[in-house]
């Protein structure tokens, strides 16, 4: 049984690694949100706090594997969202021509953004 258990563990680790790669990729753009330079610090802070909260939930030893995978996926989507916002923010500061910037989001990113910032989606 020891060899079989090792193989199962190895297969699960491979599966999780492949899922992480997939979750790190953004899907097709579904909508865009506009963020002003005045709001970007609060937006970034809100996203980071949500990531931190989800990571703490995932570290809880009382959750199921299914819950752990769900939380991991959400963290990857939030990290993708944070990267997109940071990239567009940097471009805007570099150009110095606008007071807001547009971020294109896929359906998962848009869903989470709406949960956190309802009313900002255009």
């Amino acid at each position: 049984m020891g060899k079989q258990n090792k193989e199962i563990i190895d297969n699960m680790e491979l599966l999780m690694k492949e899922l992480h790669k997939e979750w790190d990729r953004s899907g097709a753009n579904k909508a865009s949100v506009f963020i002003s330079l005045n709001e970007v610090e609060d937006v970034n802070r809100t996203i980071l706090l949500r990531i931190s909260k989800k990571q703490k939930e995932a570290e809880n030893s009382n959750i199921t594997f299914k819950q752990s995978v769900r939380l991991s996926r959400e963290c990857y989507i939030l990290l993708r969202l944070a990267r997109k916002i940071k990239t567009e923010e940097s471009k805007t500061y570099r150009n110095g021509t606008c007071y807001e910037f547009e971020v294109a989001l896929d359906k998962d990113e848009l869903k989470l953004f709406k949960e956190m910032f309802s009313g900002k989606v255009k």
Side-chain angles (χ1 to χ4, degrees):
M1 277 299 207
K3 185 177 179 181
Q4 197 174 29
N5 285 341
K6 171 92 169 98
E7 186 177 339
I8 290 170
I9 290 170
D10 289 346
N11 288 340
M12 290 299 291
E13 287 175 354
L14 176 66
L15 173 65
M16 291 306 297
K17 189 187 295 187
E18 292 301 313
L19 279 174
H20 290 173
K21 286 181 196 175
E22 186 63 30
W23 293 337
D24 202 33
R25 289 187 215 139
S26 189
N29 294 335
K30 294 292 182 189
S32 293
V33 294
F34 293 87
I35 303 171
S36 76
L37 293 177
N38 295 332
E39 298 171 322
V40 73
E41 188 176 321
D42 290 335
V43 170
N44 287 334
R45 184 177 21 260
T46 301
I47 292 171
L48 291 176
L49 286 172
R50 181 134 178 194
I51 291 169
S52 176
K53 179 183 169 192
K54 295 299 175 182
Q55 284 178 326
K56 285 179 186 172
E57 284 180 45
E59 291 169 0
N60 181 353
S61 60
N62 297 328
I63 64 172
T64 65
F65 178 74
K66 189 175 185 178
Q67 291 168 322
S68 175
V69 170
R70 235 184 241 134
L71 289 170
S72 182
R73 180 178 182 268
E74 185 172 334
C75 282
Y76 269 84
I77 294 167
L78 289 166
L79 289 168
R80 244 183 16 228
L81 177 59
R83 272 196 317 263
K84 283 184 173 185
I85 291 170
K86 194 64 180 166
T87 298
E88 294 302 324
E89 176 188 7
S90 295
K91 286 180 188 177
T92 302
Y93 277 125
R94 205 174 24 239
N95 294 340
T97 57
C98 300
Y99 296 103
E100 70 177 6
F101 54 91
E102 179 180 13
V103 181
L105 305 177
D106 70 14
K107 68 178 182 164
D108 296 323
E109 296 160 350
L110 180 62
K111 180 182 175 200
L112 289 176
F113 191 91
K114 281 181 177 179
E115 285 176 17
M116 293 183 290
F117 309 103
S118 60
K120 289 193 184 284
V121 179
K122 293 184 180 180

